[in-house]
């Protein structure tokens, strides 16, 4: 299965909730911290995802979305497919 990568930032309750959900479901993930001042990384992420908010969660090259989309996958009992 492709690796899950989550881009996060400081003071982001949705980032914390996404991390907790992945941990509860025992989905391994790599967390990449994005500083508020790292304009290049934020621009690169926006070009890749079309999203300006955090977290941004990918499975391989495929965008999952943010916490809301991750939560929807969980409601459909589909997080196990990310393991």
């Amino acid at each position: 299965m492709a690796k899950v990568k989550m881009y996060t930032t400081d003071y982001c309750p949705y980032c914390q909730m996404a991390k907790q959900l992945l941990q509860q479901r025992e989905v391994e993930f790599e967390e990449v911290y994005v500083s508020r001042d790292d304009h290049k990384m934020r621009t690169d992420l926006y070009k890749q995802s079309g999203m300006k908010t955090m977290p941004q969660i990918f499975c391989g090259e495929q965008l999952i979305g943010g916490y809301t989309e991750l939560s929807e996958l969980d409601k459909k009992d589909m997080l196990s497919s990310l393991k």
Side-chain angles (χ1 to χ4, degrees), residues 5-83:
K5 185 180 281 191
M6 179 168 49
Y7 295 88
T8 63
T9 193
D10 281 337
Y11 309 109
C12 173
Y14 292 100
C15 296
Q16 294 302 317
M17 291 187 300
K19 285 192 278 189
Q20 288 175 342
L21 183 56
L22 289 171
Q23 289 167 345
Q24 288 172 351
R25 301 300 183 251
E26 299 179 350
V27 175
E28 292 185 28
F29 63 95
E30 175 187 355
E31 181 179 3
V32 179
Y33 172 74
V34 181
S35 166
R36 292 183 186 267
D37 299 329
D38 192 341
H39 301 293
K40 180 181 179 347
M41 180 172 270
R42 287 181 176 271
T43 299
D44 291 345
L45 276 172
Y46 178 72
K47 288 177 184 176
Q48 186 176 2
S49 69
M51 295 173 59
K52 291 185 178 182
T53 58
M54 296 288 178
Q56 293 187 24
I57 307 165
F58 292 83
C59 185
E61 297 297 316
Q62 178 74 29
L63 175 67
I64 293 172
Y67 172 75
T68 302
E69 293 79 11
L70 185 69
S71 179
E72 287 299 316
L73 284 177
D74 185 49
K75 288 176 186 173
K76 296 176 184 175
D77 200 27
M78 295 176 67
L79 283 187
S80 62
S81 67
L82 301 179
K83 290 184 182 180

